[in-house]
Amino acid sequence: VSTQSTGGESSKIPVIETSPLRVCSGGKKYVKLNVGGSLFQTTLQTLVSSRHSQGSMLQRMFSGTVDVLTDEEGYVLIDRDGKHFGSILNYLRDGTIRIPTNKQDLYELLKEAQFYLLEDVIRQCQDVIDREASESRDHFLLES
């Protein structure tokens, strides 16, 4: 921890100098994430190098394009609800995601995919929403 002067000698602000990256055995770098209070850990490769992360907000955050905030324990703070973040990490790892059948969860996942700029997940969610709307419309027409 160092201090940063704010102009007066008596008013110094502590600056925490931590890197969000850690090195685990085998030399892989991993990142600790705090997403809305939910804690996650993953490799840097998952966030920036997987073919599923290309163009995403996470790739931008961890390739230096977008600034990140860290807490005292080195967790990168992401001001989002962590409810669907595990699914998003799994998508980045293997390219598959379970699309929720519950409408509320589906719309929540869509919002998170939009924030993280995950075009394929956005498309999959939107396809389910469009299909359900079409089926609902068809059902209404059949009953009329």
Side-chain angles (χ1 to χ4, degrees):
V1 176
S2 66
T3 58
Q4 178 179 339
S5 177
T6 59
E9 194 60 36
S10 62
S11 58
K12 292 189 174 193
I13 299 171
V15 177
I16 300 167
E17 298 171 345
T18 59
S19 169
L21 302 178
R22 301 284 183 258
V23 179
C24 58
S25 61
K28 283 194 172 185
K29 294 180 179 177
Y30 73 95
V31 181
K32 299 188 312 182
L33 304 160
N34 178 339
V35 184
S38 298
L39 304 179
F40 299 89
Q41 294 185 26
T42 190
T43 64
L44 182 62
Q45 180 178 351
T46 295
L47 299 173
V48 300
S49 300
S50 85
R51 69 182 179 98
H52 307 292
S53 69
Q54 300 307 303
S56 73
M57 178 61 74
L58 292 164
Q59 181 189 39
R60 294 174 187 186
M61 290 172 68
F62 293 96
S63 63
T65 306
V66 176
D67 290 336
V68 298
L69 299 173
T70 58
D71 66 13
E72 299 82 20
E73 297 170 10
Y75 282 87
V76 174
L77 301 170
I78 300 176
D79 190 16
R80 301 295 294 180
D81 188 333
K83 179 178 178 180
H84 299 287
F85 194 74
S87 296
I88 287 170
L89 277 181
N90 285 333
Y91 168 76
L92 294 177
R93 291 176 181 128
D94 62 26
T96 61
I97 192 161
R98 187 190 67 76
I99 301 298
T101 55
N102 173 291
K103 190 176 277 194
Q104 177 71 29
D105 288 341
L106 174 62
Y107 280 94
E108 289 172 0
L109 179 61
L110 174 61
K111 286 294 179 198
E112 294 307 297
Q114 290 169 335
F115 174 79
Y116 292 112
L117 305 173
L118 298 170
E119 294 300 324
D120 188 48
V121 177
I122 293 168
R123 182 189 51 74
Q124 289 183 55
C125 290
Q126 197 60 56
D127 286 350
V128 171
I129 291 167
D130 293 347
R131 186 171 46 250
E132 287 178 356
S134 176
E135 289 171 1
S136 177
R137 192 173 44 250
D138 291 346
H139 182 72
F140 175 76
L141 290 174
L142 288 174
E143 289 184 353
S144 297

